[in-house]
Amino acid sequence: MPTLHFIMDLIALFLVIIKGLFIGVICSAPCGPVGVLCIQRVLKKGFRFGIITGMGAALSDIIYALVSGLGMSFVTEFVKNESNKLIMQLAGSAMLLVFGLFMLFSRPKKHDVRVSQDKTFLNNFLTAFLLTFSNPLIILLFLVLFARFDFITPDLPINMGFGFLAIIVGAMLWWFFLSFVINKIRKTFSDRYIRVLNITIGTIVIAAAVAGFIFTITGLHWY
């Protein structure tokens, strides 16, 4: 029935958007040098400069996401084999678990990130972009997440387009949230807030990894 197919297509599109939002948040959330830079700019310059910093980081992330997605498309045929897909998803869950544990037990560090007094948005945007772009290891994280959530579907280009847009939106939602919260607590801010963020994100990632193991082994689906 055409109506049923249409509904199924909408559900598939909705799911890929949710996956994209989740991937965007997870890839942006760790409070590394860019996160610290965003926090410092909010504290010293205000909320808008935190958002501009996030936009620069998000642009770099989507470039690496597209590169990672292109690489994943080359192994689509390999993943179509159920045993190969099982191995990749288990490996993806394992790496996601390691990442979550790293976030959970990491301590706030004093990153050597200089905050210039430049008031132009363009300068702040470009410095955040270049700082994020200088870490190509983000590709590995994208590959892990793409494999874990079966995100890449080359035969559905429209869904893929919306999925990558969702990654940008997810990243910007994170930077907006971070800038908003830091701006609200700027008078009482301390490194312990970064620790709380790391614990929160680490716990969510670990829960997703454990759920991934369970669903993969039992053959059930959560998406």
Side-chain angles (χ1 to χ4, degrees):
M1 296 176 61
T3 303
L4 180 59
H5 286 303
F6 178 72
I7 293 175
M8 294 302 293
D9 289 342
L10 283 181
I11 292 175
L13 178 60
F14 174 76
L15 288 176
V16 79
I17 290 174
I18 295 300
K19 294 176 189 178
L21 290 172
F22 183 78
I23 291 171
V25 171
I26 292 299
C27 288
S28 302
C31 286
V34 183
V36 173
L37 178 63
C38 178
I39 291 171
Q40 290 177 346
R41 283 179 173 171
V42 173
L43 293 174
K44 295 183 178 181
K45 299 182 180 182
F47 173 76
R48 292 182 300 168
F49 284 90
I51 296 298
I52 293 297
T53 300
M55 290 175 63
L59 176 60
S60 176
D61 284 344
I62 194 58
I63 291 175
Y64 278 134
L66 290 170
V67 171
S68 304
L70 181 62
M72 284 291 291
S73 66
F74 286 125
V75 296
T76 302
E77 292 299 322
F78 176 80
V79 177
K80 284 182 178 178
N81 182 288
E82 287 301 320
S83 61
N84 294 337
K85 184 176 181 179
L86 176 66
I87 293 172
M88 286 193 66
Q89 289 189 336
L90 288 175
S93 293
M95 295 186 70
L96 203 58
L97 178 62
V98 171
F99 176 73
L101 289 171
F102 172 78
M103 287 293 301
L104 186 64
F105 294 107
S106 62
R107 298 284 179 179
K109 296 181 179 180
K110 296 291 185 180
H111 295 279
D112 185 19
V113 180
R114 298 181 61 186
V115 179
S116 70
Q117 297 304 311
D118 195 320
K119 296 297 183 179
T120 64
F121 287 149
L122 180 60
N123 178 272
N124 285 265
F125 175 87
L126 289 176
T127 52
F129 169 79
L130 293 174
L131 182 60
T132 308
F133 200 71
S134 66
N135 181 24
L137 290 179
I138 192 69
I139 290 179
L140 179 60
L141 181 56
F142 276 119
L143 289 174
V144 169
L145 293 172
F146 287 170
R148 174 57 269 170
F149 297 108
D150 201 13
F151 182 78
I152 301 300
T153 53
D155 54 328
L156 298 172
I158 295 179
N159 285 20
M160 279 288 82
F162 278 101
F164 282 114
L165 285 176
I167 291 177
I168 300 177
V169 174
M172 285 311 304
L173 284 175
W174 167 256
W175 293 116
F176 181 90
F177 168 78
L178 181 64
S179 299
F180 179 81
V181 171
I182 298 302
N183 190 55
K184 288 295 183 182
I185 62 174
R186 60 194 305 175
K187 293 182 179 179
T188 59
F189 178 80
S190 67
D191 285 346
R192 70 185 182 88
Y193 289 108
I194 298 180
R195 176 68 178 142
V196 171
L197 286 173
N198 285 346
I199 291 175
T200 302
I201 297 298
T203 301
I204 294 173
V205 172
I206 289 172
V210 172
F213 278 121
I214 294 173
F215 281 92
T216 300
I217 293 174
T218 59
L220 298 175
H221 296 280
W222 56 347
Y223 47 78

